[in-house]
Amino acid sequence: MKKKGFNCWRWVRGVLTVLLLSFLSKGSLAASDVLVVASLEHYPPYSDHDLKEQGFCPDVTKTALERAGYKVEIQLMDWRKVLESASSGEADVITCSWYVPSRESFLIFTRLLHANRLVFAVSKMDSFEYTRLEDLKGKKVGVVAGYGYPPDFLDAPYIQRIVGPSVEDNIRAVATGGLDATLDDEGLMRSQLRRSLSALAGDIRLTRGAIHETPLVAGVSRHRADAAEIVERFNAALVVMAGDGTLKDLRRRHDLIE
């Protein structure tokens, strides 16, 4: 009975995939103009000039749009310019954005690309695992000035928050015992431990538990008359990519997962 149910699900999933691919193929000739996709720079592993395919966000966004029948031009810039270009219509699409309701005045957001997870980097000799804020009592936790940490973490009086000059410096402090932990984006720290901090990869681990998760999405400028159609086709492509393993492969390519 279980095998029969499994085969039925595989058949249904196959039919849905065929229908989605059929939907994506329709109107691809009409979608022949080049979409300008703006993404921020200096945000590894998500988006930067010297990353493979310019980082995860440009890579996954370009892949989905091309599967939906569009041609794509990626442009990297500072975040203020990214938002301004979408608001003015200079850019057709932005990527690497958090879902922020106020931005819906000039953007139509897509499905989730990835979830930014705030986790702790700790020594591999430390058995610490995060489950709740109270776990941080008595610990020296590294933070970086200006980062958007959750209010409950910032307001907790029993957490000793130590401001460091950068995430890299905080991870080094964890390795030398100057900090018990440091809190930052999981993808960013994983990337650094494989790149600039590879010498410390054997000494540092990331916690499984996250203190916060934020949806990472793309958005299409409302200046485009076909913005809703672009989002619909983009989302359909993402569904197919999730089903055929492409999305998981892209996350692995950019060090977002093991």
Side-chain angles (χ1 to χ4, degrees), residues 62-104:
K62 181 179 180 182
T63 300
L65 285 171
E66 287 181 342
R67 286 196 179 194
Y70 298 95
K71 297 177 183 178
V72 179
E73 177 188 340
I74 303 291
Q75 296 182 4
L76 302 187
M77 57 196 74
D78 67 72
W79 186 241
R80 178 186 58 81
K81 179 61 176 174
V82 170
L83 294 178
E84 287 179 354
S85 65
S87 179
S88 66
E90 183 180 347
D92 302 297
V93 181
I94 71 168
T95 189
C96 250
S97 173
W98 287 350
Y99 171 73
V100 179
S102 62
R103 294 175 188 164
E104 289 187 306

CSV table of all heavy atoms in Angstrom, one decimal, residues 62-104:
chain,number,residue,atom,x,y,z
A,62,LYS,N,18.7,34.7,-12.1
A,62,LYS,CA,18.9,34.5,-13.5
A,62,LYS,C,18.4,33.2,-14.0
A,62,LYS,O,17.8,33.1,-15.1
A,62,LYS,CB,20.4,34.7,-13.8
A,62,LYS,CG,20.8,34.6,-15.3
A,62,LYS,CD,22.3,34.8,-15.5
A,62,LYS,CE,22.6,34.7,-17.0
A,62,LYS,NZ,24.1,34.9,-17.3
A,63,THR,N,18.7,32.1,-13.3
A,63,THR,CA,18.3,30.8,-13.7
A,63,THR,C,16.8,30.7,-13.8
A,63,THR,O,16.3,30.2,-14.8
A,63,THR,CB,18.8,29.7,-12.7
A,63,THR,OG1,20.3,29.8,-12.7
A,63,THR,CG2,18.4,28.3,-13.2
A,64,ALA,N,16.1,31.2,-12.8
A,64,ALA,CA,14.6,31.1,-12.9
A,64,ALA,C,14.0,32.0,-14.0
A,64,ALA,O,13.1,31.6,-14.7
A,64,ALA,CB,14.1,31.6,-11.5
A,65,LEU,N,14.6,33.2,-14.2
A,65,LEU,CA,14.0,34.0,-15.2
A,65,LEU,C,14.3,33.5,-16.6
A,65,LEU,O,13.5,33.5,-17.5
A,65,LEU,CB,14.7,35.4,-15.1
A,65,LEU,CG,14.1,36.3,-14.0
A,65,LEU,CD1,14.9,37.6,-13.8
A,65,LEU,CD2,12.6,36.7,-14.2
A,66,GLU,N,15.5,32.9,-16.8
A,66,GLU,CA,15.8,32.3,-18.1
A,66,GLU,C,14.9,31.1,-18.4
A,66,GLU,O,14.5,30.9,-19.5
A,66,GLU,CB,17.3,31.9,-18.1
A,66,GLU,CG,18.2,33.1,-18.3
A,66,GLU,CD,19.7,32.8,-18.4
A,66,GLU,OE1,20.1,31.6,-18.0
A,66,GLU,OE2,20.5,33.6,-18.8
A,67,ARG,N,14.7,30.3,-17.3
A,67,ARG,CA,13.7,29.2,-17.5
A,67,ARG,C,12.3,29.7,-17.8
A,67,ARG,O,11.6,29.0,-18.5
A,67,ARG,CB,13.7,28.3,-16.2
A,67,ARG,CG,14.9,27.5,-16.0
A,67,ARG,CD,14.6,26.4,-15.0
A,67,ARG,NE,15.8,25.5,-14.8
A,67,ARG,CZ,15.7,24.3,-14.2
A,67,ARG,NH1,14.5,23.9,-13.7
A,67,ARG,NH2,16.8,23.6,-14.0
A,68,ALA,N,12.0,30.9,-17.4
A,68,ALA,CA,10.7,31.5,-17.6
A,68,ALA,C,10.6,32.1,-19.0
A,68,ALA,O,9.6,32.6,-19.4
A,68,ALA,CB,10.3,32.5,-16.6
A,69,GLY,N,11.8,32.1,-19.7
A,69,GLY,CA,11.8,32.6,-21.1
A,69,GLY,C,12.3,34.0,-21.3
A,69,GLY,O,12.2,34.6,-22.3
A,70,TYR,N,13.0,34.6,-20.2
A,70,TYR,CA,13.5,36.0,-20.3
A,70,TYR,C,15.0,36.0,-20.5
A,70,TYR,O,15.7,35.1,-20.0
A,70,TYR,CB,13.1,36.7,-19.0
A,70,TYR,CG,11.6,36.9,-18.8
A,70,TYR,CD1,11.0,36.0,-18.0
A,70,TYR,CD2,10.9,37.9,-19.4
A,70,TYR,CE1,9.6,36.1,-17.7
A,70,TYR,CE2,9.6,38.1,-19.1
A,70,TYR,CZ,8.9,37.2,-18.3
A,70,TYR,OH,7.6,37.3,-18.1
A,71,LYS,N,15.5,37.0,-21.1
A,71,LYS,CA,16.9,37.3,-21.1
A,71,LYS,C,17.2,38.2,-20.0
A,71,LYS,O,16.4,39.0,-19.6
A,71,LYS,CB,17.3,38.0,-22.4
A,71,LYS,CG,17.1,37.1,-23.7
A,71,LYS,CD,17.4,37.9,-24.9
A,71,LYS,CE,17.1,37.0,-26.2
A,71,LYS,NZ,17.4,37.7,-27.4
A,72,VAL,N,18.4,38.1,-19.4
A,72,VAL,CA,18.7,38.7,-18.1
A,72,VAL,C,20.1,39.4,-18.2
A,72,VAL,O,21.0,38.9,-18.8
A,72,VAL,CB,18.7,37.7,-17.0
A,72,VAL,CG1,19.1,38.4,-15.7
A,72,VAL,CG2,17.4,37.0,-16.9
A,73,GLU,N,20.1,40.6,-17.6
A,73,GLU,CA,21.4,41.4,-17.4
A,73,GLU,C,21.5,41.7,-15.9
A,73,GLU,O,20.6,42.3,-15.3
A,73,GLU,CB,21.4,42.7,-18.2
A,73,GLU,CG,22.7,43.5,-18.0
A,73,GLU,CD,22.6,44.9,-18.6
A,73,GLU,OE1,21.8,45.1,-19.5
A,73,GLU,OE2,23.3,45.8,-18.2
A,74,ILE,N,22.5,41.2,-15.3
A,74,ILE,CA,22.8,41.4,-13.9
A,74,ILE,C,23.6,42.7,-13.7
A,74,ILE,O,24.7,42.8,-14.3
A,74,ILE,CB,23.5,40.2,-13.2
A,74,ILE,CG1,22.7,38.9,-13.4
A,74,ILE,CG2,23.7,40.5,-11.7
A,74,ILE,CD1,21.4,38.8,-12.7
A,75,GLN,N,23.2,43.5,-12.7
A,75,GLN,CA,24.0,44.7,-12.4
A,75,GLN,C,24.1,44.7,-10.9
A,75,GLN,O,23.1,44.7,-10.1
A,75,GLN,CB,23.3,46.0,-12.9
A,75,GLN,CG,23.2,46.1,-14.4
A,75,GLN,CD,22.6,47.4,-14.9
A,75,GLN,OE1,22.3,48.3,-14.0
A,75,GLN,NE2,22.4,47.5,-16.2
A,76,LEU,N,25.4,44.8,-10.4
A,76,LEU,CA,25.6,44.9,-8.9
A,76,LEU,C,25.9,46.4,-8.5
A,76,LEU,O,26.6,47.1,-9.2
A,76,LEU,CB,26.8,44.0,-8.5
A,76,LEU,CG,26.7,42.5,-8.9
A,76,LEU,CD1,27.9,41.8,-8.3
A,76,LEU,CD2,25.4,42.0,-8.4
A,77,MET,N,25.4,46.8,-7.4
A,77,MET,CA,25.5,48.1,-6.9
A,77,MET,C,25.3,48.2,-5.4
A,77,MET,O,25.0,47.2,-4.8
A,77,MET,CB,24.5,49.0,-7.7
A,77,MET,CG,23.1,48.6,-7.5
A,77,MET,SD,21.9,49.4,-8.7
A,77,MET,CE,22.4,48.5,-10.2
A,78,ASP,N,25.5,49.3,-4.8
A,78,ASP,CA,25.2,49.4,-3.4
A,78,ASP,C,23.7,49.3,-3.1
A,78,ASP,O,22.9,49.6,-4.1
A,78,ASP,CB,25.8,50.7,-2.7
A,78,ASP,CG,25.1,52.0,-3.2
A,78,ASP,OD1,23.9,52.2,-2.9
A,78,ASP,OD2,25.8,52.7,-4.0
A,79,TRP,N,23.3,49.0,-1.9
A,79,TRP,CA,21.9,48.7,-1.7
A,79,TRP,C,20.9,49.9,-1.9
A,79,TRP,O,19.8,49.7,-2.4
A,79,TRP,CB,21.7,48.1,-0.3
A,79,TRP,CG,20.3,47.6,0.0
A,79,TRP,CD1,19.4,48.1,1.0
A,79,TRP,CD2,19.6,46.6,-0.7
A,79,TRP,NE1,18.2,47.4,0.9
A,79,TRP,CE2,18.3,46.5,-0.1
A,79,TRP,CE3,19.9,45.8,-1.8
A,79,TRP,CZ2,17.4,45.6,-0.6
A,79,TRP,CZ3,19.0,44.9,-2.2
A,79,TRP,CH2,17.7,44.8,-1.6
A,80,ARG,N,21.4,51.0,-1.5
A,80,ARG,CA,20.6,52.2,-1.7
A,80,ARG,C,20.2,52.4,-3.2
A,80,ARG,O,19.1,52.7,-3.6
A,80,ARG,CB,21.3,53.5,-1.2
A,80,ARG,CG,20.5,54.8,-1.4
A,80,ARG,CD,21.4,56.0,-1.0
A,80,ARG,NE,22.6,56.0,-1.8
A,80,ARG,CZ,22.7,56.5,-3.0
A,80,ARG,NH1,21.6,57.0,-3.7
A,80,ARG,NH2,23.9,56.5,-3.7
A,81,LYS,N,21.2,52.2,-4.1
A,81,LYS,CA,21.0,52.3,-5.5
A,81,LYS,C,20.1,51.2,-6.0
A,81,LYS,O,19.3,51.4,-6.9
A,81,LYS,CB,22.4,52.2,-6.2
A,81,LYS,CG,22.3,52.3,-7.7
A,81,LYS,CD,21.6,53.6,-8.2
A,81,LYS,CE,21.7,53.7,-9.7
A,81,LYS,NZ,20.9,54.9,-10.3
A,82,VAL,N,20.2,50.0,-5.4
A,82,VAL,CA,19.3,48.9,-5.8
A,82,VAL,C,17.9,49.3,-5.6
A,82,VAL,O,17.0,49.1,-6.5
A,82,VAL,CB,19.6,47.6,-5.0
A,82,VAL,CG1,18.5,46.5,-5.2
A,82,VAL,CG2,21.0,47.0,-5.4
A,83,LEU,N,17.5,49.8,-4.5
A,83,LEU,CA,16.2,50.2,-4.2
A,83,LEU,C,15.7,51.4,-5.0
A,83,LEU,O,14.6,51.4,-5.5
A,83,LEU,CB,16.0,50.5,-2.7
A,83,LEU,CG,16.2,49.4,-1.7
A,83,LEU,CD1,16.1,49.9,-0.3
A,83,LEU,CD2,15.2,48.3,-2.0
A,84,GLU,N,16.6,52.3,-5.2
A,84,GLU,CA,16.2,53.5,-6.1
A,84,GLU,C,16.0,53.1,-7.5
A,84,GLU,O,15.1,53.6,-8.1
A,84,GLU,CB,17.4,54.5,-6.0
A,84,GLU,CG,17.5,55.3,-4.7
A,84,GLU,CD,18.6,56.3,-4.7
A,84,GLU,OE1,19.4,56.3,-5.7
A,84,GLU,OE2,18.7,57.0,-3.7
A,85,SER,N,16.8,52.1,-8.0
A,85,SER,CA,16.6,51.7,-9.4
A,85,SER,C,15.3,51.0,-9.6
A,85,SER,O,14.7,51.1,-10.7
A,85,SER,CB,17.8,50.8,-9.8
A,85,SER,OG,17.8,49.6,-9.1
A,86,ALA,N,14.9,50.2,-8.6
A,86,ALA,CA,13.6,49.5,-8.7
A,86,ALA,C,12.4,50.5,-8.6
A,86,ALA,O,11.4,50.4,-9.3
A,86,ALA,CB,13.5,48.5,-7.7
A,87,SER,N,12.6,51.5,-7.7
A,87,SER,CA,11.5,52.5,-7.4
A,87,SER,C,11.3,53.4,-8.6
A,87,SER,O,10.2,53.8,-9.0
A,87,SER,CB,11.9,53.3,-6.2
A,87,SER,OG,10.9,54.3,-6.0
A,88,SER,N,12.4,53.7,-9.4
A,88,SER,CA,12.3,54.5,-10.5
A,88,SER,C,12.0,53.8,-11.8
A,88,SER,O,11.6,54.4,-12.8
A,88,SER,CB,13.7,55.3,-10.7
A,88,SER,OG,14.7,54.4,-11.1
A,89,GLY,N,12.1,52.5,-11.8
A,89,GLY,CA,11.9,51.7,-13.0
A,89,GLY,C,13.2,51.5,-13.8
A,89,GLY,O,13.1,50.8,-14.9
A,90,GLU,N,14.3,52.0,-13.3
A,90,GLU,CA,15.6,51.8,-14.0
A,90,GLU,C,16.0,50.3,-14.1
A,90,GLU,O,16.5,49.8,-15.0
A,90,GLU,CB,16.7,52.6,-13.3
A,90,GLU,CG,18.0,52.5,-14.0
A,90,GLU,CD,19.1,53.4,-13.3
A,90,GLU,OE1,18.7,54.2,-12.4
A,90,GLU,OE2,20.3,53.2,-13.6
A,91,ALA,N,15.7,49.6,-13.0
A,91,ALA,CA,15.9,48.2,-12.9
A,91,ALA,C,14.5,47.5,-13.0
A,91,ALA,O,13.5,48.0,-12.4
A,91,ALA,CB,16.6,47.8,-11.6
A,92,ASP,N,14.4,46.4,-13.7
A,92,ASP,CA,13.2,45.6,-13.8
A,92,ASP,C,12.9,44.7,-12.6
A,92,ASP,O,11.8,44.5,-12.2
A,92,ASP,CB,13.1,44.8,-15.1
A,92,ASP,CG,13.4,45.6,-16.3
A,92,ASP,OD1,12.5,46.5,-16.6
A,92,ASP,OD2,14.4,45.4,-17.0
A,93,VAL,N,14.0,44.2,-12.1
A,93,VAL,CA,14.0,43.2,-11.0
A,93,VAL,C,15.1,43.5,-10.0
A,93,VAL,O,16.1,44.0,-10.4
A,93,VAL,CB,14.1,41.8,-11.5
A,93,VAL,CG1,14.0,40.7,-10.4
A,93,VAL,CG2,13.2,41.5,-12.6
A,94,ILE,N,14.8,43.3,-8.7
A,94,ILE,CA,15.9,43.3,-7.7
A,94,ILE,C,15.9,41.9,-7.1
A,94,ILE,O,14.9,41.2,-7.0
A,94,ILE,CB,15.7,44.4,-6.7
A,94,ILE,CG1,14.6,44.1,-5.7
A,94,ILE,CG2,15.6,45.8,-7.3
A,94,ILE,CD1,14.6,45.0,-4.5
A,95,THR,N,17.1,41.6,-6.6
A,95,THR,CA,17.2,40.3,-5.9
A,95,THR,C,18.0,40.5,-4.6
A,95,THR,O,18.6,41.6,-4.4
A,95,THR,CB,17.8,39.2,-6.8
A,95,THR,OG1,17.7,37.9,-6.1
A,95,THR,CG2,19.2,39.5,-7.1
A,96,CYS,N,18.0,39.5,-3.7
A,96,CYS,CA,18.7,39.6,-2.5
A,96,CYS,C,18.0,40.5,-1.5
A,96,CYS,O,18.7,41.2,-0.7
A,96,CYS,CB,20.2,40.0,-2.6
A,96,CYS,SG,21.4,38.7,-2.3
A,97,SER,N,16.7,40.6,-1.6
A,97,SER,CA,16.0,41.5,-0.7
A,97,SER,C,15.3,40.7,0.4
A,97,SER,O,14.9,39.6,0.2
A,97,SER,CB,14.9,42.3,-1.6
A,97,SER,OG,14.0,43.0,-0.7
A,98,TRP,N,15.2,41.3,1.5
A,98,TRP,CA,14.3,40.8,2.6
A,98,TRP,C,12.9,41.2,2.2
A,98,TRP,O,12.7,42.2,1.6
A,98,TRP,CB,14.7,41.3,3.9
A,98,TRP,CG,16.0,40.7,4.5
A,98,TRP,CD1,16.7,39.7,4.0
A,98,TRP,CD2,16.7,41.2,5.6
A,98,TRP,NE1,17.8,39.4,4.7
A,98,TRP,CE2,17.8,40.3,5.8
A,98,TRP,CE3,16.5,42.2,6.6
A,98,TRP,CZ2,18.8,40.5,6.8
A,98,TRP,CZ3,17.4,42.3,7.6
A,98,TRP,CH2,18.6,41.5,7.7
A,99,TYR,N,12.0,40.4,2.7
A,99,TYR,CA,10.6,40.8,2.5
A,99,TYR,C,10.3,41.9,3.5
A,99,TYR,O,10.3,41.7,4.7
A,99,TYR,CB,9.6,39.6,2.7
A,99,TYR,CG,8.2,40.1,2.7
A,99,TYR,CD1,7.5,40.5,1.5
A,99,TYR,CD2,7.5,40.2,3.9
A,99,TYR,CE1,6.3,41.0,1.6
A,99,TYR,CE2,6.2,40.7,3.9
A,99,TYR,CZ,5.6,41.1,2.8
A,99,TYR,OH,4.3,41.6,2.8
A,100,VAL,N,10.0,43.1,2.9
A,100,VAL,CA,9.7,44.3,3.8
A,100,VAL,C,8.3,44.9,3.2
A,100,VAL,O,8.3,45.3,2.1
A,100,VAL,CB,10.8,45.4,3.7
A,100,VAL,CG1,10.4,46.6,4.5
A,100,VAL,CG2,12.1,44.8,4.1
A,101,PRO,N,7.3,44.8,4.0
A,101,PRO,CA,6.0,45.3,3.5
A,101,PRO,C,5.9,46.6,2.9
A,101,PRO,O,5.2,46.9,1.9
A,101,PRO,CB,5.1,45.2,4.7
A,101,PRO,CG,5.7,44.1,5.6
A,101,PRO,CD,7.2,44.3,5.4
A,102,SER,N,6.7,47.6,3.4
A,102,SER,CA,6.7,48.9,2.9
A,102,SER,C,7.2,49.0,1.4
A,102,SER,O,6.9,49.9,0.7
A,102,SER,CB,7.6,49.9,3.7
A,102,SER,OG,8.9,49.5,3.8
A,103,ARG,N,8.0,48.0,1.0
A,103,ARG,CA,8.5,48.0,-0.4
A,103,ARG,C,7.5,47.5,-1.4
A,103,ARG,O,7.7,47.6,-2.6
A,103,ARG,CB,9.8,47.1,-0.4
A,103,ARG,CG,11.0,47.7,0.4
A,103,ARG,CD,12.1,46.8,0.4
A,103,ARG,NE,13.2,47.2,1.3
A,103,ARG,CZ,14.2,46.5,1.7
A,103,ARG,NH1,14.3,45.2,1.4
A,103,ARG,NH2,15.0,47.0,2.6
A,104,GLU,N,6.4,47.1,-0.9
A,104,GLU,CA,5.3,46.6,-1.8
A,104,GLU,C,4.7,47.8,-2.6
A,104,GLU,O,4.0,47.5,-3.5
A,104,GLU,CB,4.3,45.8,-1.1
A,104,GLU,CG,4.8,44.4,-0.6
A,104,GLU,CD,3.7,43.6,0.0
A,104,GLU,OE1,3.0,44.0,0.9
A,104,GLU,OE2,3.5,42.4,-0.5
